[in-house]
Structures are given as C-alpha cells and as structure tokens.
Amino acid sequence: LPAAAFMLQEQEAHATEISEILSRFERKGFKLVAIKIVVPSKDFAQKHYHDLKERPFFNGLCDFLSSGPVVAMVWEGEGVIKYGRKLIGATDPQKSEPGTIRGDLAVVVGRNIIHGSDGPETAKDEIKLWFKPEELVTYTSNAEKWIYGDN
Ligand code: GTP
Ligand code: MG
C-alpha cells in the first residue's frame, strides 16, 4: 500500500486542533505509520518546497513553514495519496469545498494549513526528508480486516 507524507502547520491554524486533522484520516481508514512535531529550519523548508523555488511566493512560503511547529506524519492505505489530497482540498482555501480540511479550516492560500505529497515519487522523497527509516512503524491495525476484508 502506498504511503504519503502530510504535514500540518499548527501554530497559525486558528484554534485548529491536531486531533481534528488526524481524525479525518483515521476515520477514512488510513493507517498512521509515523508522526512527530518539529520546527523546520528555513533551509529545511527550502528543501521541502525545492520544486517551487522559481515561484514568487517561494520565500514567504518557506518563512511560513519554518515559523513554528509542524506536525509531520505518514499515512498508509489504498489510494491514500490521491484521496488524502481530496481530504485536504484545493490549494486555495477560497476554492476548496466545505468538508475538506482547507475548506473548513483555512482562508488564505499562503496559510493553507496542510501539505500533502502529490504522487508516489514525491511521497517517497518527502518521507525520506522528514523521517529517519526507524521512525516509520510497521504494524497491523485491528481495523484493517474490517476495512479491506480478507484479501
Ligand atoms: P501542497 O500540498 O502544500 O504542496 O499544496 P498543493 O499541492 O495544493 O499546491 P502547490 O504544490 O502548487 O503549492 C504549494 C504551496 O504553495 C501551497 O500549499 C500554498 O501554501 C503555496 N501556494 C501555492 N500557490 C500560491 C499562490 O498563488 N500564492 C501564495 N502566497 N502561495 C501559494
Ligand atoms: Mg504540492
């Protein structure tokens, strides 16, 4: 099952609770395999968003990401990368649907609360950037049999 990296900028999320975000992935049936809270350096933020370095908002985006605590997490499950981005919603919170994380909890694009990997390759790179291999946990959750059946 593919895994995806997601992260949440907690400090600026007005009254957002970490559990509020976690529960949306949990309730869907995705499995949490890594999580930690960190304050990334600016240098780290630039590495994370390296593919956007030509964009005019790059510097501000990296300032924001390194401005406070970030909850980094890795979720696993069938279709998690694509569906995780649906849970997150459109990039601009003015356009994300109600019911999505950004739709419900954010207002402006430069402070849209959460990032999600956009494909298996970027997920792999981002997991490697944010986590040491030993920080990823392998386990079977009781819910899996219910969620996926016997196959
Ligand atoms: P991520 O999950 O964060 O990667 O968002 P995304 O995949 O929906 O969007 P994208 O990768 O294109 O942009 C990365 C981040 O840059 C977004 O989450 C926004 O925070 C920021 N961003 C994107 N477009 C704009 C913009 O037009 N203005 C500003 N200020 N920030 C932007
Ligand atoms: Mg992106």
Side-chain angles (χ1 to χ4, degrees), residues 49 51-52 85 91 102 115-118 126:
Y49 276 129
D51 59 320
L52 296 173
R85 289 177 67 81
T91 308
R102 288 167 176 165
H115 160 85
S117 308
D118 58 16
E126 288 169 6

Side-chain angles (χ1 to χ4, degrees), residues 76-128:
E76 206 174 83
E78 208 167 301
V80 65
I81 297 176
K82 266 201 176 144
Y83 204 88
R85 289 177 67 81
K86 279 195 187 184
L87 290 176
I88 289 174
T91 308
D92 181 353
Q94 296 289 333
K95 294 182 183 137
S96 21
E97 296 295 330
T100 64
I101 292 167
R102 288 167 176 165
D104 290 348
L105 305 168
V107 180
V108 296
V109 68
R111 309 174 89 81
N112 62 7
I113 302 194
I114 185 165
H115 160 85
S117 308
D118 58 16
E121 284 310 310
T122 46
K124 216 165 114 190
D125 292 346
E126 288 169 6
I127 290 168
K128 215 165 132 190

